[in-house]
Amino acid sequence: MASSLGPGGDQKPGTPMHLLSKMLLSSALLVAISAPATQVLASDNPAMDAAVARVEHEWERIKYQTPDPHAQHAQIEVLARDAAAVTARFPGRAEPLIWQGIAESEHAAMSSGLSALSDATASRRTFEQAYQIDRTALEGGAATSLGTLYYRVPGFPIGFGDKAKARRYLLEGVALAPGGRGPPATAR
């Protein structure tokens, strides 16, 4: 019986396992990018919840109500700094880190060239910190965001994108938020 694995353990295109794998990844990505932006914040810290909600609402305003791409880019850059300040006010908490990463990855999506890759790398580090602190925070927001980031960033030799890691994180995010809630997928 022929193996369905190609070099490096990847699924060979056209095999049933490859098609199943692509369907699972597509389903997870669809759930991640169609998730409503509304968060369920029910932490033990109302001040942090309010600060994180302000970052979220500002992200929504910039993303959906600011039509000029240059203005969006400038405002997202400010929001990323504001989100980092919220993270600094609430150290050791995953929730502000997740929204800081979302702002950073959105900034990366609006940037170009090496600055985009630098911003995406910063956002990956931020999401990884959140994931290490509490992978269940914001209904798996760090896992979903890491999955989307690994899916969207080009792979080696250009960037750190990795479809296998994307699949793993996206499936974990779906498992942690089966109803499709959680933060919006990053860098749409």
Side-chain angles (χ1 to χ4, degrees):
M1 182 168 158
S3 170
S4 65
L5 295 180
D10 294 339
Q11 300 291 328
K12 287 183 185 174
T15 64
M17 287 304 291
H18 180 258
L19 296 174
L20 177 62
S21 179
K22 286 189 86 67
M23 285 177 27
L24 285 172
L25 178 60
S26 296
S27 297
L29 187 58
L30 180 61
V31 168
I33 60 178
S34 64
T38 305
Q39 293 303 313
V40 176
L41 292 175
S43 79
D44 58 352
N45 190 330
M48 182 196 68
D49 289 347
V52 169
R54 280 191 297 278
V55 171
E56 175 187 358
H57 295 308
E58 182 63 4
W59 177 88
E60 290 171 349
R61 186 196 64 73
I62 294 166
K63 182 78 173 158
Y64 300 115
Q65 296 176 5
T66 306
D68 177 43
H70 297 292
Q72 263 193 351
H73 191 227
Q75 291 173 28
I76 281 290
E77 186 172 10
V78 171
L79 180 61
R81 286 194 302 267
D82 292 348
V86 171
T87 297
R89 281 186 22 227
F90 301 99
R93 296 301 300 249
E95 299 90 342
L97 280 164
I98 291 168
W99 275 99
Q100 178 184 341
I102 289 168
E104 291 168 346
S105 66
E106 195 68 51
H107 188 257
M110 294 176 180
S111 298
S112 61
L114 292 176
S115 115
L117 184 57
S118 175
D119 292 340
T121 301
S123 112
R124 178 184 66 178
R125 283 191 300 267
T126 302
F127 289 135
E128 288 170 342
Q129 283 181 298
Y131 186 87
Q132 291 300 316
I133 292 168
D134 182 1
R135 68 183 194 88
T136 66
L138 299 181
E139 296 182 314
T144 302
S145 297
L146 277 166
T148 305
L149 195 61
Y150 275 110
Y151 184 78
R152 295 202 177 243
V153 171
F156 181 82
I158 297 168
F160 60 83
D162 183 321
K163 301 298 188 240
K165 282 184 180 181
R167 181 181 307 114
R168 181 177 64 93
Y169 281 121
L170 286 168
L171 291 173
E172 181 178 351
V174 169
L176 291 169
R181 295 182 59 104
T186 56
R188 287 189 217 183

